[in-house]
Amino acid sequence: MLGTRQTEQGIKLIKEFFQQNLSTELRLRRVTAPLFVLKGLGINDDLNGVERPVTFPIRDMGEQCAEVVHSLAKWKRLTLAEQKVERGYGIYTDMNAIRADEELDNLHSLYVDQWDWEAVIGREDRNLTFLKDVVNRIYAAIRRTEYLVCETYEELKPFLPEQIHFIHAEELLQRYPNLSAKEREDAICREFGAVFVIGIGGKLSNGEKHDGRAADYDDWSTVGENGLEGLNGDILIWYPVLERSFELSSMGIRVDEESLLRQLAIEHQEERKNLFFHQQLLSGKLPLSIGGGIGQSRLCMVLLHKAHIGEIQASIWPEEMRKECAEVGIRLI
């Protein structure tokens, strides 16, 4: 087990090395991102649609309300347009967020830090083959980072498989029909070690969603030969330290005009098409794109073999949780 000093050094090593690899793999340049945006523009990420953003009034702007971001899924696409980024290139940034409604546990904190990234694509790139290629590139960067960490700290041994396995959420349901969505993730990750679950956000054949996803950024309702198929998903791994599946990234090809309207209709959110972001997209002012978020603290936690995300980041934890962790030798920052 790494001590406090080694852990802090390891966090620095991972963050510096991985973001450089991500930038090189996907041809991304770094940009500066906001911590908060104005309410009512449709720019903030709605996540599952029930999480409450942290808000505050701005005294010098007539008490207009600002929201701390949940993520930068839509802000990045606006930035691609503003900076006139060319096809095949993109941006990445350090995203810091506060999610006050998060259920706190080993993996979930009030504080969220991600590498948020977005790249411009062509219409012919809006397909599953292109999505899988990008996933493979990201996974390769993760494995290179694991190799560096294990070379630096000999007590740590690599565990990620060479290849990531792809499976659609509907296939996963058919494979494990008697398990819950979380149990299905555990089962498939235990079998393959690293998995990309495709098509998250739309209802499956059992009438339920594999997981929630906002209607206005990822394209999860693309119409294919078998109906609604989806062009998004999550990168999951099997994490032996906790003996469970572990999500590292949520990503996907973003909605175009057609899929935005279709998904808003599916979710009964048609009124959102009048918001600023949605009007920019529907009027053709935003580029087609692919993007996602990769958890910084989560990646550090996995590659440093930690049992609690509080060993990586400073946050607020229930006192009972701190006591339980201290009893088993886990120090929360």
Side-chain angles (χ1 to χ4, degrees), residues 129-285:
T129 299
F130 183 85
L131 175 63
K132 288 181 177 180
D133 178 66
V134 174
V135 171
N136 281 322
R137 289 173 178 271
I138 294 172
Y139 186 66
I142 292 173
R143 289 195 67 240
R144 281 196 295 273
T145 309
E146 181 190 44
Y147 175 79
L148 174 65
V149 172
C150 292
E151 283 289 292
T152 304
Y153 304 105
E154 294 182 356
E155 58 265 55
L156 303 181
K157 304 302 178 184
F159 62 87
L160 293 175
E162 289 187 16
Q163 304 294 328
I164 186 168
H165 180 75
F166 293 89
I167 189 169
H168 193 281
E170 180 62 36
E171 296 177 79
L172 193 56
L173 173 62
Q174 299 303 321
R175 191 181 184 112
Y176 307 109
N178 298 319
L179 300 182
S180 67
K182 183 65 186 69
E183 290 169 339
R184 295 196 292 272
E185 291 181 352
D186 287 344
I188 198 69
C189 287
R190 185 184 293 110
E191 181 176 353
F192 290 99
V195 179
F196 185 77
V197 179
I198 303 164
I200 295 179
K203 288 185 179 180
L204 305 177
S205 59
N206 63 355
E208 299 176 358
K209 300 178 179 181
H210 181 82
D211 200 358
R213 196 65 56 89
D216 47 14
Y217 58 99
D218 279 357
D219 187 342
W220 44 256
S221 68
T222 294
V223 179
E225 294 180 1
N226 301 312
L228 301 183
E229 295 182 343
L231 291 174
N232 74 338
D234 290 342
I235 296 176
L236 307 168
I237 63 163
W238 178 253
Y239 189 38
V241 173
L242 297 178
E243 295 190 331
R244 55 161 293 173
S245 59
F246 193 113
E247 179 187 325
L248 289 177
S249 175
S250 170
M251 59 173 288
I253 291 173
R254 306 309 198 186
V255 290
D256 60 7
E257 299 89 336
E258 180 183 350
S259 54
L260 172 64
L261 293 175
R262 181 170 60 248
Q263 291 181 179
L264 289 177
I266 290 173
E267 296 297 305
H268 306 292
Q269 296 176 348
E270 289 94 335
E271 75 283 353
R272 292 187 64 81
K273 67 184 180 183
N274 297 315
L275 296 173
F276 171 76
F277 170 82
H278 304 70
Q279 283 295 303
Q280 292 290 105
L281 175 55
L282 292 172
S283 62
K285 296 179 181 178

Side-chain angles (χ1 to χ4, degrees), residues 94-159:
D94 293 293
M95 190 283 295
N96 297 286
I98 300 173
R99 298 181 182 173
D101 288 337
E102 200 72 82
E103 294 184 11
L104 307 182
D105 58 23
N106 297 60
L107 308 184
H108 298 91
S109 169
L110 299 175
Y111 169 62
V112 179
D113 55 343
Q114 295 181 166
W115 289 287
D116 252 345
W117 64 274
E118 199 85 10
V120 178
I121 63 175
R123 190 161 295 277
E124 61 270 32
D125 299 322
R126 302 188 77 257
N127 59 73
L128 200 53
T129 299
F130 183 85
L131 175 63
K132 288 181 177 180
D133 178 66
V134 174
V135 171
N136 281 322
R137 289 173 178 271
I138 294 172
Y139 186 66
I142 292 173
R143 289 195 67 240
R144 281 196 295 273
T145 309
E146 181 190 44
Y147 175 79
L148 174 65
V149 172
C150 292
E151 283 289 292
T152 304
Y153 304 105
E154 294 182 356
E155 58 265 55
L156 303 181
K157 304 302 178 184
F159 62 87

